mmCIF file of all heavy atoms in Angstrom:
data_model
loop_
_atom_site.group_PDB
_atom_site.id
_atom_site.type_symbol
_atom_site.label_atom_id
_atom_site.label_comp_id
_atom_site.label_asym_id
_atom_site.label_seq_id
_atom_site.Cartn_x
_atom_site.Cartn_y
_atom_site.Cartn_z
ATOM 1 N N THR D 139 80.425 -86.499 -76.701
ATOM 2 C CA THR D 139 79.485 -85.796 -77.562
ATOM 3 C C THR D 139 80.164 -85.256 -78.801
ATOM 4 O O THR D 139 79.650 -85.384 -79.909
ATOM 5 C CB THR D 139 78.808 -84.658 -76.784
ATOM 6 O OG1 THR D 139 78.167 -85.209 -75.647
ATOM 7 C CG2 THR D 139 77.791 -83.947 -77.640
ATOM 8 N N LEU D 140 81.328 -84.631 -78.664
ATOM 9 C CA LEU D 140 82.025 -84.090 -79.823
ATOM 10 C C LEU D 140 82.367 -85.181 -80.831
ATOM 11 O O LEU D 140 82.300 -84.967 -82.045
ATOM 12 C CB LEU D 140 83.299 -83.356 -79.400
ATOM 13 C CG LEU D 140 83.098 -81.976 -78.777
ATOM 14 C CD1 LEU D 140 84.424 -81.414 -78.298
ATOM 15 C CD2 LEU D 140 82.434 -81.028 -79.749
ATOM 16 N N LYS D 141 82.714 -86.349 -80.339
ATOM 17 C CA LYS D 141 83.036 -87.464 -81.234
ATOM 18 C C LYS D 141 81.824 -87.839 -82.078
ATOM 19 O O LYS D 141 81.927 -88.032 -83.294
ATOM 20 C CB LYS D 141 83.515 -88.673 -80.439
ATOM 21 C CG LYS D 141 83.935 -89.835 -81.321
ATOM 22 C CD LYS D 141 84.198 -91.094 -80.521
ATOM 23 C CE LYS D 141 85.577 -91.107 -79.951
ATOM 24 N NZ LYS D 141 85.953 -92.415 -79.378
ATOM 25 N N SER D 142 80.661 -87.940 -81.465
ATOM 26 C CA SER D 142 79.461 -88.317 -82.227
ATOM 27 C C SER D 142 79.037 -87.204 -83.182
ATOM 28 O O SER D 142 78.575 -87.485 -84.297
ATOM 29 C CB SER D 142 78.314 -88.709 -81.290
ATOM 30 O OG SER D 142 77.941 -87.624 -80.470
ATOM 31 N N VAL D 143 79.217 -85.960 -82.804
ATOM 32 C CA VAL D 143 78.890 -84.846 -83.698
ATOM 33 C C VAL D 143 79.865 -84.829 -84.878
ATOM 34 O O VAL D 143 79.459 -84.601 -86.029
ATOM 35 C CB VAL D 143 78.901 -83.490 -82.945
ATOM 36 C CG1 VAL D 143 78.713 -82.332 -83.903
ATOM 37 C CG2 VAL D 143 77.825 -83.469 -81.872
ATOM 38 N N LEU D 144 81.144 -85.098 -84.616
ATOM 39 C CA LEU D 144 82.123 -85.159 -85.702
ATOM 40 C C LEU D 144 81.775 -86.289 -86.666
ATOM 41 O O LEU D 144 81.811 -86.106 -87.889
ATOM 42 C CB LEU D 144 83.539 -85.350 -85.154
ATOM 43 C CG LEU D 144 84.645 -85.525 -86.200
ATOM 44 C CD1 LEU D 144 84.709 -84.322 -87.138
ATOM 45 C CD2 LEU D 144 85.991 -85.749 -85.515
ATOM 46 N N GLN D 145 81.422 -87.428 -86.134
ATOM 47 C CA GLN D 145 81.056 -88.557 -86.985
ATOM 48 C C GLN D 145 79.856 -88.189 -87.865
ATOM 49 O O GLN D 145 79.837 -88.478 -89.064
ATOM 50 C CB GLN D 145 80.749 -89.776 -86.117
ATOM 51 C CG GLN D 145 80.633 -91.060 -86.884
ATOM 52 C CD GLN D 145 80.568 -92.275 -85.957
ATOM 53 O OE1 GLN D 145 80.334 -92.164 -84.762
ATOM 54 N NE2 GLN D 145 80.780 -93.443 -86.517
ATOM 55 N N ASP D 146 78.875 -87.511 -87.296
ATOM 56 C CA ASP D 146 77.701 -87.065 -88.046
ATOM 57 C C ASP D 146 78.105 -86.062 -89.136
ATOM 58 O O ASP D 146 77.659 -86.163 -90.282
ATOM 59 C CB ASP D 146 76.685 -86.431 -87.093
ATOM 60 C CG ASP D 146 75.444 -85.966 -87.805
ATOM 61 O OD1 ASP D 146 74.668 -86.827 -88.272
ATOM 62 O OD2 ASP D 146 75.256 -84.736 -87.915
ATOM 63 N N ALA D 147 78.955 -85.125 -88.778
ATOM 64 C CA ALA D 147 79.404 -84.109 -89.745
ATOM 65 C C ALA D 147 80.148 -84.749 -90.911
ATOM 66 O O ALA D 147 79.974 -84.346 -92.070
ATOM 67 C CB ALA D 147 80.285 -83.075 -89.055
ATOM 68 N N LEU D 148 80.965 -85.739 -90.619
ATOM 69 C CA LEU D 148 81.707 -86.433 -91.672
ATOM 70 C C LEU D 148 80.760 -87.185 -92.605
ATOM 71 O O LEU D 148 80.944 -87.185 -93.826
ATOM 72 C CB LEU D 148 82.726 -87.405 -91.060
ATOM 73 C CG LEU D 148 83.910 -86.742 -90.355
ATOM 74 C CD1 LEU D 148 84.677 -87.774 -89.548
ATOM 75 C CD2 LEU D 148 84.803 -86.032 -91.359
ATOM 76 N N GLN D 149 79.746 -87.809 -92.029
ATOM 77 C CA GLN D 149 78.787 -88.556 -92.843
ATOM 78 C C GLN D 149 77.944 -87.632 -93.717
ATOM 79 O O GLN D 149 77.531 -88.012 -94.813
ATOM 80 C CB GLN D 149 77.890 -89.413 -91.951
ATOM 81 C CG GLN D 149 78.626 -90.561 -91.298
ATOM 82 C CD GLN D 149 77.806 -91.246 -90.216
ATOM 83 O OE1 GLN D 149 76.775 -90.757 -89.776
ATOM 84 N NE2 GLN D 149 78.293 -92.404 -89.758
ATOM 85 N N ASN D 150 77.687 -86.425 -93.241
ATOM 86 C CA ASN D 150 76.827 -85.487 -93.964
ATOM 87 C C ASN D 150 77.588 -84.506 -94.842
ATOM 88 O O ASN D 150 76.976 -83.672 -95.505
ATOM 89 C CB ASN D 150 75.960 -84.702 -92.972
ATOM 90 C CG ASN D 150 74.978 -85.603 -92.264
ATOM 91 O OD1 ASN D 150 74.385 -86.480 -92.879
ATOM 92 N ND2 ASN D 150 74.813 -85.401 -90.972
ATOM 93 N N TYR D 151 78.892 -84.598 -94.863
ATOM 94 C CA TYR D 151 79.739 -83.613 -95.539
ATOM 95 C C TYR D 151 79.386 -83.421 -97.010
ATOM 96 O O TYR D 151 79.324 -82.303 -97.499
ATOM 97 C CB TYR D 151 81.212 -84.007 -95.394
ATOM 98 C CG TYR D 151 82.185 -83.041 -96.005
ATOM 99 C CD1 TYR D 151 82.582 -81.905 -95.303
ATOM 100 C CD2 TYR D 151 82.716 -83.253 -97.271
ATOM 101 C CE1 TYR D 151 83.485 -81.011 -95.851
ATOM 102 C CE2 TYR D 151 83.623 -82.367 -97.826
ATOM 103 C CZ TYR D 151 84.007 -81.244 -97.109
ATOM 104 O OH TYR D 151 84.893 -80.363 -97.664
ATOM 105 N N ASP D 152 79.152 -84.491 -97.709
ATOM 106 C CA ASP D 152 78.924 -84.352 -99.151
ATOM 107 C C ASP D 152 77.450 -84.421 -99.548
ATOM 108 O O ASP D 152 77.121 -84.566 -100.715
ATOM 109 C CB ASP D 152 79.751 -85.376 -99.937
ATOM 110 C CG ASP D 152 79.461 -86.805 -99.536
ATOM 111 O OD1 ASP D 152 78.638 -87.022 -98.640
ATOM 112 O OD2 ASP D 152 80.073 -87.704 -100.134
ATOM 113 N N GLU D 153 76.549 -84.296 -98.564
ATOM 114 C CA GLU D 153 75.124 -84.305 -98.884
ATOM 115 C C GLU D 153 74.625 -82.961 -99.412
ATOM 116 O O GLU D 153 73.604 -82.902 -100.079
ATOM 117 C CB GLU D 153 74.301 -84.733 -97.671
ATOM 118 C CG GLU D 153 74.465 -86.218 -97.373
ATOM 119 C CD GLU D 153 73.585 -86.690 -96.237
ATOM 120 O OE1 GLU D 153 72.756 -85.897 -95.739
ATOM 121 O OE2 GLU D 153 73.721 -87.860 -95.854
ATOM 122 N N LYS D 154 75.311 -81.890 -99.084
ATOM 123 C CA LYS D 154 74.998 -80.574 -99.633
ATOM 124 C C LYS D 154 76.309 -79.840 -99.839
ATOM 125 O O LYS D 154 77.360 -80.320 -99.430
ATOM 126 C CB LYS D 154 74.030 -79.796 -98.755
ATOM 127 C CG LYS D 154 74.479 -79.567 -97.314
ATOM 128 C CD LYS D 154 73.556 -78.641 -96.563
ATOM 129 C CE LYS D 154 72.529 -79.381 -95.759
ATOM 130 N NZ LYS D 154 71.757 -78.528 -94.869
ATOM 131 N N SER D 155 76.265 -78.703 -100.475
ATOM 132 C CA SER D 155 77.517 -77.993 -100.731
ATOM 133 C C SER D 155 78.175 -77.589 -99.417
ATOM 134 O O SER D 155 77.504 -77.324 -98.417
ATOM 135 C CB SER D 155 77.279 -76.788 -101.628
ATOM 136 O OG SER D 155 76.429 -75.875 -100.980
ATOM 137 N N ARG D 156 79.483 -77.566 -99.441
ATOM 138 C CA ARG D 156 80.264 -77.316 -98.226
ATOM 139 C C ARG D 156 79.919 -75.982 -97.594
ATOM 140 O O ARG D 156 79.834 -75.863 -96.369
ATOM 141 C CB ARG D 156 81.748 -77.378 -98.585
ATOM 142 C CG ARG D 156 82.685 -77.238 -97.426
ATOM 143 C CD ARG D 156 84.088 -77.574 -97.919
ATOM 144 N NE ARG D 156 85.062 -77.404 -96.900
ATOM 145 C CZ ARG D 156 86.018 -76.467 -96.941
ATOM 146 N NH1 ARG D 156 86.105 -75.653 -97.960
ATOM 147 N NH2 ARG D 156 86.899 -76.384 -95.976
ATOM 148 N N HIS D 157 79.707 -74.951 -98.423
ATOM 149 C CA HIS D 157 79.414 -73.631 -97.867
ATOM 150 C C HIS D 157 78.015 -73.559 -97.243
ATOM 151 O O HIS D 157 77.709 -72.596 -96.549
ATOM 152 C CB HIS D 157 79.639 -72.520 -98.904
ATOM 153 C CG HIS D 157 78.689 -72.527 -100.050
ATOM 154 N ND1 HIS D 157 78.833 -73.381 -101.110
ATOM 155 C CD2 HIS D 157 77.592 -71.784 -100.294
ATOM 156 C CE1 HIS D 157 77.852 -73.162 -101.975
ATOM 157 N NE2 HIS D 157 77.088 -72.204 -101.501
ATOM 158 N N GLN D 158 77.188 -74.582 -97.429
ATOM 159 C CA GLN D 158 75.913 -74.692 -96.712
ATOM 160 C C GLN D 158 76.071 -75.620 -95.500
ATOM 161 O O GLN D 158 75.532 -75.342 -94.431
ATOM 162 C CB GLN D 158 74.826 -75.235 -97.643
ATOM 163 C CG GLN D 158 74.495 -74.302 -98.789
ATOM 164 C CD GLN D 158 73.588 -74.945 -99.818
ATOM 165 O OE1 GLN D 158 73.695 -76.141 -100.083
ATOM 166 N NE2 GLN D 158 72.706 -74.151 -100.401
ATOM 167 N N TRP D 159 76.799 -76.709 -95.694
ATOM 168 C CA TRP D 159 77.024 -77.702 -94.637
ATOM 169 C C TRP D 159 77.617 -77.069 -93.383
ATOM 170 O O TRP D 159 77.263 -77.424 -92.262
ATOM 171 C CB TRP D 159 77.939 -78.791 -95.207
ATOM 172 C CG TRP D 159 78.591 -79.698 -94.224
ATOM 173 C CD1 TRP D 159 78.080 -80.851 -93.709
ATOM 174 C CD2 TRP D 159 79.888 -79.543 -93.639
ATOM 175 N NE1 TRP D 159 78.981 -81.416 -92.842
ATOM 176 C CE2 TRP D 159 80.099 -80.627 -92.782
ATOM 177 C CE3 TRP D 159 80.882 -78.584 -93.763
ATOM 178 C CZ2 TRP D 159 81.260 -80.789 -92.046
ATOM 179 C CZ3 TRP D 159 82.048 -78.735 -93.036
ATOM 180 C CH2 TRP D 159 82.219 -79.819 -92.186
#
Side-chain angles (χ1 to χ4, degrees):
T139 303
L140 284 175
K141 183 189 277 190
S142 62
V143 174
L144 176 59
Q145 192 170 15
D146 181 69
L148 290 168
Q149 291 169 348
N150 294 319
Y151 182 83
D152 58 359
E153 288 184 6
K154 57 173 96 171
S155 63
R156 184 170 177 247
H157 67 280
Q158 295 171 325
W159 164 87

